[in-house]
DNA sequence: TATTGTTATACTCTATAACTATA
DNA sequence: TATAGTTATAGAGTATAACAATA
C-alpha cells in the first residue's frame, strides 16, 4: 500500500545519498567534508548569522551545527562572537582564512556540480527545484503529534 | 559560479534531510530507525538477497549494511545464511518475526507517506521520480579519477 | 586474480535532556 | 516564561584498509 510514496522516498534517498557520497569524494581530498562545506557556503553567502539561522539553512539541528562550528573554529576558518544586540545569540562568520579556503574550494566543487547538472536541461532543473521545494514545508516537524502517539513497540519476546 | 548546481544540491539536501528526520520521528516511536526500516522493506520486497544487493538497493556501503544487519540479526528480525551456490556470499532474508514486525510498521509509515505525497498530484510525483532517477547514474562513483587527483590541501598554517 | 564479506578503527552527524544566560 | 546556545552523552551511519575465503 502507498507504493507511490515509498517509491518517492526511496528515489529521494538514492539521489541524495549518491550525491552526498560523490561530493565527499571531491571535498575530502581538499580537507573538508561536504557538510562542512555547506556551512562555509552559507556563511559566505550570508555573512554573519546566528547559529539558529545556520541550523535552518543547513537543514540540520543545533547540536550538530555547534559541533561542526567548534571544529571549524579550531581550524580558524570560522569565528563565533557575541551577538551585538541579542546577548544570548552568537554571531558566526568566516574568518579571513575561512573565506580564502572557501574560495579555493570553489574549483574543487566545479567538477561535482558539472556532473550533477550534466543530464538536465535548464528548464528541468527549474522544475526539479520547484518540486523539491514542496517537501520541507510538508514535512516540517509538528511535534505536537507526539503527545497523542503511543509507544506501540512490536513485542520482541517470542 | 554555477549557482544552479548549488541550488539543486541544497534543495536535494533540504528535501532529503527534512524527510529523513520526519520519518525517524515516526519510526523510532516503533523501535526502528528509518534506515533500518529501509533494509526491512527491501528484504520484504525481494526475499533472500546478498548483502551486495542490499548495498545497491539501499544506496549504502558494505560495512554500513553489515553493521545494520548484525544489529537486526541480534533482534532476530533478519537471518544471514550461507548462499546456496556462491560460498562467498550471504543469503539475507527476513525471519518470520522480521516479516511480522515489518507488516506492523506499515501502519506506522502511513501518516508519513501521506504527508510526503500531500502536496503533489500524481503526474507530479511521476515527473519528480523521473527527474530524481537521473542523479544516481550521473554521480556513480568513478574512482578512477582519484589516481589523477592531487591532495591540494589549502595550507592551514598562517 | 577478482569478488564477497569480515574486522578493526575512526570520524561525523544526529538527537535528547538538563543546564546557563539572557530576553 | 521563552529563547539561544552549551554540555554530556549516546547512538547510528559512513568510510577505509587490511584480511580470509571462495570463485
Amino acid at each position: 500500500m502507498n507504493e507511490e510514496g515509498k517509491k518517492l522516498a526511496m528515489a529521494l534517498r538514492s539521489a541524495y545519498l549518491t550525491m552526498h557520497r560523490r561530493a565527499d569524494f571531491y571535498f575530502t581530498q581538499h580537507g573538508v567534508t561536504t557538510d562542512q562545506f555547506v556551512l562555509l557556503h552559507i556563511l559566505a553567502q550570508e555573512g554573519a548569522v546566528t547559529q539558529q539561522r545556520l541550523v535552518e539553512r543547513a537543514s540540520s539541528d543545533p547540536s550538530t551545527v555547534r559541533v561542526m562550528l567548534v571544529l571549524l573554529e579550531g581550524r580558524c576558518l570560522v569565528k563565533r562572537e557575541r551577538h551585538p544586540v541579542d546577548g544570548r545569540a552568537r554571531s558566526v562568520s568566516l574568518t579571513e582564512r575561512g573565506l580564502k579556503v572557501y574560495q579555493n574550494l570553489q574549483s574543487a566543487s566545479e567538477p561535482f556540480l558539472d556532473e550533477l547538472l550534466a543530464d538536465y536541461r535548464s528548464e528541468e532543473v527549474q522544475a526539479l527545484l520547484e518540486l523539491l521545494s514542496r517537501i520541507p514545508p510538508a514535512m516540517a516537524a509538528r511535534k505536537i503529534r507526539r503527545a497523542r502517539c503511543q509507544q506501540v513497540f512490536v513485542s520482541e519476546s517470542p
Side-chain angles (χ1 to χ4, degrees), chain A residues 50-115:
Chain A
T50 61
Q51 295 189 185
Q52 192 181 241
R53 174 74 177 145
L54 282 174
V55 167
E56 290 161 25
R57 287 286 323 266
S59 311
S60 187
D61 82 293
S63 40
T64 303
V65 165
R66 192 220 171 227
V67 170
M68 291 175 71
L69 287 177
V70 167
L71 191 153
L72 291 171
E73 197 176 29
R75 292 170 61 186
C76 298
L77 302 180
V78 146
K79 57 180 186 282
R80 300 188 303 149
E81 300 158 318
R82 283 261 149 247
H83 193 282
V85 294
D86 188 338
R88 298 169 302 179
R90 297 267 199 160
S91 178
V92 185
S93 55
L94 290 179
T95 60
E96 213 174 303
R97 186 149 122 235
L99 180 59
K100 204 180 299 178
V101 165
Y102 174 72
Q103 285 164 346
N104 284 320
L105 287 169
Q106 297 304 308
S107 55
S109 69
E110 262 167 51
F112 161 73
L113 294 170
D114 289 345
E115 280 182 26

Side-chain angles (χ1 to χ4, degrees), chain A residues 29 37-38 58 89 94 102 107 111 135 147 149 152:
Chain A
Q29 292 174 13
F37 178 78
V38 167
L94 290 179
Y102 174 72
S107 55
I135 290 182
C149 287
V152 262

Side-chain angles (χ1 to χ4, degrees), chain A residues 113-128:
Chain A
L113 294 170
D114 289 345
E115 280 182 26
L116 181 61
L117 293 176
D119 292 343
Y120 295 111
R121 297 196 312 276
S122 187
E123 320 86 74
E124 290 174 328
V125 175
Q126 296 313 311
L128 182 49

